[in-house]
Amino acid sequence: MATETVAKPRTSARVHVQKFGTFLSGMIMPNIGAFIAWGIITALFIEKGWLPVPQLGGFGETGGKPNIGLVGPMITYLLPLLIGYTGGKMVYDVRGGVVGAIGTMGVIVGAGIPMFIGAMIMGPLGGWTMKKIDSIWDGKIRPGFEMLVNNFSAGIWGALLALLGFYGISPVVTAFSEQAGKFVEFLVQNGLLPLTSIFIEPAKVLFLNNAINHGVLTPLGVQQSLEQGKSILFLLEANPGPGLGLLLAYAFFGRGAAKASAPGAAIIQFLGGIHEIYFPYVLMRPLLILGTIAGGMTGIATLAVTNSGLVAPAAPGSIFAVLAQTSRDSYFGVILSVVLAAAVSFLVSSVILKTTKHSDEADLGDATSRMEAMKGKKSSVASTLTGAGAGTAAAAGRGGVGVLAGPVRNIVFACDAGMGSSAMGASVLRNKIKAAGFPDVKVTNASIANLSDTYDVVVTHQDLTERAKPVTSSAVHYSVDNFMNSPRYDEIVELVRDSNTEGGTADAGTTHGAHAADVPVDAAPAAAAAGGGTAAAANGSAEILARESVVLTGSATTRDAAIDEAGRLLLARGAVDEGYIAAMHEREESVSTYMGSFLAIPHGTNAAKDHIRKSAVSVIRYPEGIDWNGKQVKFVVGVAGINNEHLHILSSIAKVFTSKEQVARLEAATSEDEVLELFGKVNA
């Protein structure tokens, strides 16, 4: 029988360059503060600085010995070592960072010039090779010898990498730097440097600028700055003038939403330095790239004519960052380059806007989505464009955090372990959203450790919201303290209704539609679980809720005793070991598992999953109620789950506890069979 093979989609060269540029940027951007510090020290204390100090600037002699200063050692040793460490750490955590820094030291000493490119090679190389070496004897080291093997392997391999950097990498990088420097010098001497805008400006819109800026311009600019006290290369890409001119043209001659949002975008771009905010305006009318190219060429030509430059990289590309890094003798030229770049970009863009027919109002959202698709993730500033004046912005405001950039397609309920409370909350919210007529909106659950910035809405317990925000910064966040009947759920339903109906529903192929593929593996089954009670059976799982795990009258009188009682039932089933019960208490101390409607579902922390042997659920009823952090609890459901086999039970429990009639039936139940029937017992 012939089998069909499905060809994997080929990744475009542009995407590969984007990923490469993002990786380079990941090594540079965390260390921009060090670059700024070096730039400030250079601008102040070198011989031609504002406050020349020989001992700090590294010029002259003291006591017959030449002054070393801070400027030279920082640029020669500190910055490359930071980059090398960061690159190694990105690949293989701290251990990779240490080995990457050791290898970088060999390149530094071998070259004698600032080795930024060498650091970008040796850092990731050190991390990757150390990771491969560790994998050779992973799990094979005898107890008590781990530290000995780990330390000596890192030390020996780091020493070998330093020798490789000294003898092998540094000559190659030095030769490349020299040739690249000569090429830049050729462009400057022949007045050709402005032509680089023909490549740089389109590259910015396509998110290829990181590879150019951090891979080539920053290392060459630093070398030039060290020799000449400034470099024009730092402003080839960072000049905010071209983008400002384009946005001002839209503010005067654009139409609809584009015209209305352009002034606010101009402020963010020029003052905040977030250049990507003008990219959708170019994508709406690709011909406008001519405006930014003309502006960029004008700015570079002005810098060349006035012999102006910056002493260090300006990041982000804000006018404030540009001025802070401007060389003492270059303020006139730098300011003039920004003004003229903006003026020329404005004039050219205005002519294009006035002489071409186009509907900006309808296409701004689509252009923003295309921009986010090229970037590979949500844009942190896209909501400024698509949210301006839209009903979704107001709806999102009711959630307390964030602004939506489009229709809600993907909601995640996150908790510490992604096992109990998040699954319950997701079930309740999913049912409400389906009842409102939006079955295509995905509501999943996940642990906070598995979150990524791919969701439209994130719901967490109020004690966990601050942990979820950093990794899901572009989402709208809702904090709840009652998992079963929080008033926030109605607000989320209203947000879904507003965002999916006003102005028409968004096509599933847009940015938000693409999020479905990014849902964490452990969250996906929750969606399927809500469709019925047969998911676990279909997977051949063992009985999750058994008769012996149902207690109609619990003996505990306190919260901690109830957790022990629920945990002991799981232990008796062989589902967990003793360590899991301790983890249940640990979880309760960090965030309460009280769900509302007289229900608590204690479970272990995310780190306690190794203590789970099989999925199981226990149910205990306390007719008189017990105090649970000031809340009355009559039902305690202990949870231990592997591969989400328990989620169908939790979905059933959620449905029961959102119905007052069903809760009353539970309170009146006289046999375990009644409880099992209500919760939908699943057999193997």
Side-chain angles (χ1 to χ4, degrees):
M1 182 177 176
T3 58
E4 259 186 67
T5 58
V6 180
K8 290 179 68 177
R10 296 182 62 184
T11 305
S12 68
R14 174 181 61 80
V15 173
H16 284 301
V17 176
Q18 280 181 341
K19 289 182 178 179
F20 178 64
T22 300
F23 187 79
L24 294 178
S25 178
M27 286 188 275
I28 296 290
M29 293 308 293
N31 298 306
I32 283 295
F35 278 90
I36 292 174
W38 174 76
I40 292 173
I41 290 171
T42 301
L44 289 176
F45 303 126
I46 62 173
E47 193 169 4
K48 296 181 179 180
W50 290 97
L51 300 170
V53 178
Q55 293 83 357
L56 297 176
F59 60 92
E61 295 183 351
T62 300
K65 296 182 180 180
N67 293 314
I68 297 175
L70 287 174
V71 177
M74 285 182 72
I75 198 67
T76 303
Y77 299 104
L78 175 64
L79 297 180
L81 286 173
L82 286 174
I83 293 171
Y85 175 82
T86 304
K89 188 174 184 291
M90 288 169 62
V91 176
Y92 191 38
D93 204 17
V94 174
R95 187 168 169 79
V98 171
V99 175
I102 297 171
T104 300
M105 193 65 191
V107 180
I108 292 171
V109 177
I113 61 173
M115 270 287 102
F116 293 94
I117 296 177
M120 292 179 185
I121 295 173
M122 296 306 296
L125 178 63
W128 181 78
T129 53
M130 193 68 250
K131 183 177 182 180
K132 292 298 181 182
I133 291 172
D134 281 353
S135 67
I136 295 174
W137 46 69
D138 183 35
K140 301 175 183 178
I141 304 173
R142 299 185 67 175
F145 289 86
E146 294 90 350
M147 184 177 296
L148 180 69
V149 173
N150 289 337
N151 288 341
F152 269 87
S153 62
I156 293 170
W157 185 244
L160 292 175
L161 279 180
L163 294 177
L164 174 65
F166 185 91
Y167 289 108
I169 304 298
S170 64
V172 176
V173 176
T174 300
F176 170 80
S177 298
E178 289 176 353
Q179 294 304 314
K182 290 178 181 179
F183 178 68
V184 171
E185 187 178 349
F186 169 80
L187 293 178
V188 173
Q189 290 178 351
N190 291 274
L192 300 176
L193 195 61
L195 296 180
T196 57
S197 291
I198 297 174
F199 305 100
I200 291 175
E201 293 302 327
K204 289 175 69 173
V205 177
L206 296 174
F207 289 95
L208 305 177
N209 55 310
N210 282 334
I212 298 172
N213 194 25
H214 298 308
V216 180
L217 296 180
T218 294
L220 292 178
V222 167
Q223 177 65 25
Q224 191 177 70
S225 178
L226 188 63
E227 296 171 354
Q228 304 174 15
K230 59 189 173 185
S231 175
I232 191 176
L233 301 181
F234 293 134
L235 265 182
L236 297 192
E237 186 269 342
N239 192 330
L244 175 64
L246 179 139
L247 292 171
L248 290 178
Y250 261 105
F252 283 96
F253 304 111
R255 300 183 182 92
K259 178 182 177 71
S261 60
I267 293 174
I268 293 174
Q269 189 268 346
F270 189 66
L271 301 181
I274 310 300
H275 288 203
E276 74 178 48
I277 198 166
Y278 77 80
F279 298 170
Y281 295 86
V282 177
L283 294 173
M284 266 192 300
R285 300 199 193 188
L287 195 60
L288 286 171
I289 196 67
L290 297 177
T292 60
I293 289 174
M297 293 175 66
T298 302
I300 295 172
T302 303
L303 291 169
V305 170
T306 59
N307 190 29
S308 302
L310 307 185
V311 297
S318 161
I319 187 61
F320 297 123
V322 169
L323 293 177
Q325 299 294 1
T326 298
S327 174
R328 179 181 179 183
D329 60 356
S330 299
Y331 280 98
F332 173 77
V334 168
I335 294 173
L336 185 63
S337 75
V338 174
V339 172
L340 292 182
V344 171
S345 177
F346 172 78
L347 291 174
V348 175
S349 300
S350 297
V351 171
I352 294 173
L353 288 172
K354 292 291 287 182
T355 56
T356 58
K357 294 182 179 180
H358 207 274
S359 175
D360 300 331
E361 183 170 9
D363 290 348
L364 181 60
D366 291 339
T368 302
S369 296
R370 291 201 303 274
M371 183 266 286
E372 290 181 318
M374 286 190 295
K375 184 178 182 181
K377 67 174 188 176
K378 285 186 180 182
S379 168
S380 60
V381 294
S383 59
T384 304
L385 310 181
T386 56
T392 55
R398 291 195 294 271
V401 182
V403 179
L404 283 175
V408 173
R409 298 294 192 194
N410 198 353
I411 301 173
V412 64
F413 204 119
C415 71
D416 182 63
M419 185 188 307
S421 54
S422 63
M424 294 285 286
S427 294
V428 174
L429 185 56
R430 186 185 303 114
N431 293 334
K432 285 180 174 288
I433 290 176
K434 284 185 177 180
F438 299 95
D440 294 334
V441 175
K442 292 184 178 296
V443 182
T444 55
N445 68 287
S447 67
I448 288 181
N450 289 332
L451 287 179
S452 59
D453 200 10
T454 55
Y455 303 99
D456 302 313
V457 176
V458 177
V459 187
T460 51
H461 187 277
Q462 61 187 12
D463 294 337
L464 297 174
T465 302
E466 293 305 317
R467 284 176 55 192
K469 283 182 182 178
V471 291
T472 53
S473 57
S474 60
V476 177
H477 283 258
Y478 283 83
S479 301
V480 300
D481 62 355
N482 186 324
F483 293 89
M484 299 307 302
N485 51 20
S486 172
R488 288 293 190 187
Y489 294 163
D490 293 330
E491 295 178 11
I492 297 172
V493 171
E494 188 66 23
L495 175 64
V496 170
R497 181 180 290 111
D498 289 346
S499 68
N500 283 278
T501 55
E502 292 189 8
T505 57
D507 183 51
T510 63
T511 303
H512 294 281
H515 293 166
D518 295 326
V519 177
V521 174
D522 70 337
T534 61
N539 292 328
S541 65
E543 190 177 67
I544 306 299
L545 177 59
R547 184 189 305 274
E548 61 266 30
S549 297
V550 177
V551 176
L552 296 181
T553 304
S555 60
T557 57
T558 65
R559 182 200 70 177
D560 290 345
I563 293 174
D564 283 332
E565 192 168 4
R568 292 293 171 189
L569 289 174
L570 298 176
L571 183 65
R573 291 276 307 281
V576 301
D577 59 24
E578 288 280 356
Y580 188 76
I581 299 177
M584 294 172 74
H585 286 283
E586 182 182 344
R587 171 68 170 81
E588 199 65 43
E589 290 300 325
S590 61
V591 180
S592 175
T593 57
Y594 174 74
M595 305 293 293
S597 300
F598 306 114
L599 171 68
I601 52 168
H603 56 276
T605 61
N606 190 48
K609 290 185 177 181
D610 291 340
H611 295 286
I612 303 175
R613 296 169 182 167
K614 65 179 181 180
S615 299
V617 171
S618 61
V619 178
I620 308 174
R621 184 179 65 182
Y622 296 95
E624 302 301 321
I626 59 176
D627 179 74
W628 201 282
N629 299 331
K631 308 288 186 180
Q632 187 182 36
V633 166
K634 293 185 178 181
F635 301 94
V636 174
V637 177
V639 176
I642 297 177
N643 298 328
N644 299 296
E645 294 169 340
H646 62 300
L647 294 183
H648 68 291
I649 289 290
L650 292 181
S651 178
S652 299
I653 293 172
K655 291 178 181 178
V656 168
F657 280 91
T658 52
S659 168
K660 292 183 179 179
E661 179 183 348
Q662 298 283 60
V663 173
R665 286 183 60 189
L666 269 181
E667 289 186 290
T670 58
S671 69
E672 291 84 355
D673 288 336
E674 292 181 62
V675 176
L676 294 175
E677 181 183 354
L678 280 170
F679 287 162
K681 185 184 74 169
V682 178
N683 296 311

